[in-house]
């Protein structure tokens, strides 16, 4: 996972989704519909479980009961940590922040991102069983925090540039980069602790296809698109 992720050009949001595919595949795994689940909405259970694992690091017993690979709670927790790591990586890449600062503060950064992602709002509604593959309807409320951070980025950049120009600040580019990163992340942490702001709700569809062996899995492309809709960045 890390080798593929590291080689992806993340500035483009679509390729950010590809990075999410890699992580979501770790979480989603492969599922098998057993005879005793025929009366249950398997597609809804899987979609709900995948979203909960990605954003909140939790899932229901019903979800875990249908995992083919019988992943343990510890394994699912490790997968969730990989998700958070990848989102921190993308955030730093997107805003061009100091990678050394990230490495020195990884644990704290992960906790901030967990706080933000835990506030994701989505509701898995129903499955259109007439469609092939099955398609699950999900109502989401897009989080505005990353869009707001774009404005914070521009404001902080203007402030520091003006300070350097007017006061002959004697700092190296590396020192300024680190200072910018630290101050920007302070603003992000402050935003993470406030009441989350959301955009107008929208409805999306996620396919849950089945192959000839009756193996189900949430469509990786649809899942990744959903992640980008729930917590969008400005560049699309």
């Amino acid at each position: 996972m890390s080798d593929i992720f590291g080689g992806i050009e993340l500035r483009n949001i679509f390729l950010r989704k590809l990075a999410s595919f890699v992580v979501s595949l770790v979480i989603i795994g492969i599922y098998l519909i057993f005879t005793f689940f025929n009366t249950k909405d398997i597609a809804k259970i899987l979609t709900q479980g995948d979203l909960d694992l990605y954003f909140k690091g939790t899932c229901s017993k019903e979800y875990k009961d249908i995992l083919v690979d019988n992943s343990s709670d510890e394994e699912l927790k490790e997968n969730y940590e990989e998700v958070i790591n990848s989102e921190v990586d993308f955030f730093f890449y997107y805003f061009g922040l100091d990678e050394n600062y990230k490495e020195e503060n990884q644990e704290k950064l992960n906790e901030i991102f967990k706080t933000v992602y835990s506030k994701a709002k989505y509701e898995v509604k129903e499955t259109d069983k007439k469609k092939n593959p099955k398609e699950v309807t999900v109502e989401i409320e897009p989080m505005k925090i990353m869009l707001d951070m774009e404005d914070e980025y521009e404001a902080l950049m203007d402030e520091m540039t003006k300070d350097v120009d007017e006061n002959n600040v004697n700092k190296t580019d590396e020192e300024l980069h680190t200072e910018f990163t630290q101050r920007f992340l302070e603003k992000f942490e402050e935003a993470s602790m406030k009441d989350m702001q959301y955009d107008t709700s929208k409805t999306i569809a996620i396919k849950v296809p089945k192959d000839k062996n009756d193996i189900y899995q949430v469509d990786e492309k649809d899942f990744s698109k959903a992640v980008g809709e729930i917590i969008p960045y400005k560049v699309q």
Side-chain angles (χ1 to χ4, degrees):
M1 188 274 295
S2 58
D3 290 341
I4 298 175
F5 183 81
I8 295 175
E9 180 65 26
L10 292 179
R11 184 66 189 183
N12 183 291
I13 286 296
F14 174 70
L15 293 181
R16 173 202 177 216
K17 304 300 188 294
L18 292 181
S20 294
F21 292 174
V22 178
V23 178
S24 64
L25 279 172
V26 177
I27 288 181
I28 292 172
I30 301 175
Y31 310 94
L32 181 63
I33 181 166
F34 296 98
T35 302
F36 61 88
F37 275 111
N38 282 342
T39 59
K40 292 185 177 288
D41 190 341
I42 191 80
K44 183 175 181 179
I45 294 170
L46 297 181
T47 303
Q48 183 73 55
D50 289 345
L51 288 170
D52 287 346
L53 275 174
Y54 198 97
F55 286 100
K56 306 176 189 300
T58 62
C59 61
S60 66
K61 182 179 184 302
E62 189 175 39
Y63 173 84
K64 288 190 286 188
D65 284 344
I66 59 176
L67 288 176
V68 168
D69 58 5
N70 295 316
S71 296
S72 66
D73 289 344
E74 185 62 30
E75 288 171 325
L76 293 175
K77 181 181 178 181
E78 290 175 0
N79 291 338
Y80 171 61
E81 294 294 336
E82 288 292 330
V83 167
I84 296 300
N85 283 335
S86 74
E87 292 294 340
V88 172
D89 286 346
F90 175 74
F91 183 87
F92 266 70
Y93 184 94
Y94 184 89
F95 287 108
L97 304 178
D98 184 351
E99 290 289 330
N100 291 327
Y101 187 92
K102 180 185 69 177
E103 293 175 5
E104 294 168 0
N105 296 273
Q106 187 75 58
E107 186 174 347
K108 179 181 179 180
L109 291 167
N110 283 11
E111 291 305 312
I112 296 172
F113 271 75
K114 287 176 184 178
T115 298
V116 171
Y117 277 58
S118 70
K119 298 178 182 180
K121 288 187 178 181
Y122 50 86
E123 182 178 358
V124 181
K125 293 288 191 178
E126 58 187 17
T127 301
D128 187 342
K129 297 179 180 179
K130 295 180 181 179
K131 289 190 176 182
N132 185 22
K134 293 180 179 181
E135 195 169 87
V136 180
T137 299
V138 183
E139 184 176 328
I140 67 170
E141 294 184 39
M143 305 166 77
K144 298 177 69 175
I145 187 168
M146 296 307 183
L147 302 178
D148 291 341
M149 289 311 299
E150 301 254 9
D151 296 332
E152 293 286 358
Y153 180 97
E154 295 297 336
L156 180 58
M157 182 65 71
D158 289 344
E159 178 186 335
M160 289 188 63
T161 300
K162 182 179 179 181
D163 186 42
V164 169
D165 291 343
E166 294 182 356
N167 299 308
N168 295 318
V169 174
N170 186 25
K171 292 182 180 179
T172 66
D173 289 345
E174 289 77 12
E175 290 172 333
L176 289 170
H177 190 204
T178 299
E179 179 184 344
F180 180 90
T181 296
Q182 183 175 354
R183 293 176 62 180
F184 183 67
L185 289 170
E186 287 172 356
K187 292 178 179 295
F188 183 61
E189 183 175 14
E190 289 173 5
S192 75
M193 294 185 290
K194 296 178 181 178
D195 290 338
M196 187 62 63
Q197 300 299 307
Y198 301 88
D199 211 335
T200 305
S201 63
K202 62 175 68 174
T203 299
I204 60 175
I206 297 179
K207 294 185 289 294
V208 185
K210 180 179 68 171
D211 68 13
K212 62 182 179 181
N213 297 315
D214 281 347
I215 295 176
Y216 281 81
Q217 70 178 57
V218 173
D219 182 82
E220 296 96 337
K221 187 174 182 179
D222 284 355
F223 183 84
S224 188
K225 181 179 179 180
V227 170
E229 294 280 4
I230 293 170
I231 186 161
Y233 285 72
K234 185 175 290 186
V235 177
Q236 296 286 356

